[in-house]
Amino acid sequence: VLRRWSVDDGLEAFNRLWHQIDVHSDVLEVVGELRAAGIYCAVASNQQARRAKAMSIGLSYREKFDAEYYSCDLGLKKPMEAYFHRIIERCGFEPSRVLFVDDRMSNLEAARAIGIHALRFVADEHLEKGKALKGLIGNFEESPSRYAWGAS
């Protein structure tokens, strides 16, 4: 495939692109603040095993989140309702006590279908991403301390 697309440096270029992940440090700071306040935070992402490992180890997500729920490990993917059921099963929270934040409506609708609270957040729509996420969470109708949190 790489030859067909005339990719000169082949596998090295592919690996660089495959592992290129935009990290929003100000959003991760919000995750850190939530965790410091005792709120469970998890990443829920559709990922292939090598990218999941790059996120978990290379980007230190295993230290930055309480849990990681990657589709490659769960055997299911968003927006399947079963994906969210599997996460609920593993984390042990009632769906009504979970807030899921994602940028895709289909994922939010699947989470809502099983009773999870869900809010849409598209980081690239905001100049100050962390501040925007804090505002979204702050405007949420219920007290944030009552919820576990998940992010994509």
Side-chain angles (χ1 to χ4, degrees):
V1 171
L2 295 173
R3 263 190 306 253
R4 193 174 340 137
W5 290 354
S6 301
V7 175
D8 295 332
D9 53 354
L11 194 54
E12 285 185 38
F14 174 79
N15 274 328
R16 274 194 314 277
L17 293 172
W18 188 250
H19 291 105
Q20 183 177 325
I21 299 170
D22 293 330
V23 176
H24 303 294
S25 57
D26 53 343
V27 169
L28 289 176
E29 286 176 20
V30 174
V31 171
E33 292 171 15
L34 291 168
R35 289 185 73 203
I39 298 171
Y40 178 94
C41 295
V43 61
S45 184
N46 286 342
Q47 292 298 332
Q48 177 269 353
R50 289 179 70 187
R51 278 181 56 93
K53 184 176 179 180
M55 292 169 71
S56 183
I57 297 169
L59 298 177
S60 302
Y61 279 17
R62 63 171 45 169
E63 285 90 32
K64 294 176 181 170
F65 291 90
D66 293 298
E68 300 166 280
Y69 300 108
Y70 298 111
S71 57
C72 60
D73 297 328
L74 298 175
L76 300 160
K77 65 181 184 173
K78 298 180 286 185
M80 298 168 71
E81 289 179 24
Y83 174 87
F84 295 99
H85 280 294
R86 180 78 45 89
I87 291 173
I88 291 300
E89 179 183 286
R90 289 194 178 182
C91 74
F93 291 103
E94 290 295 321
S96 64
R97 294 190 40 85
V98 175
L99 174 64
F100 174 67
V101 179
D102 199 275
D103 59 345
R104 295 181 186 238
M105 288 305 297
S106 59
N107 296 338
L108 299 172
E109 290 165 1
R112 288 180 185 134
I114 71 157
I116 294 172
H117 298 276
L119 295 175
R120 185 168 186 265
F121 179 71
V122 181
D124 291 336
E125 291 180 356
H126 306 281
L127 188 59
E128 296 183 54
K129 295 157 183 37
K131 186 176 181 179
L133 180 59
K134 272 185 170 181
L136 179 69
I137 292 168
N139 289 333
F140 189 62
E141 296 176 345
E142 301 284 339
S143 168
S145 62
R146 294 181 53 205
Y147 293 93
W149 296 75
S152 171

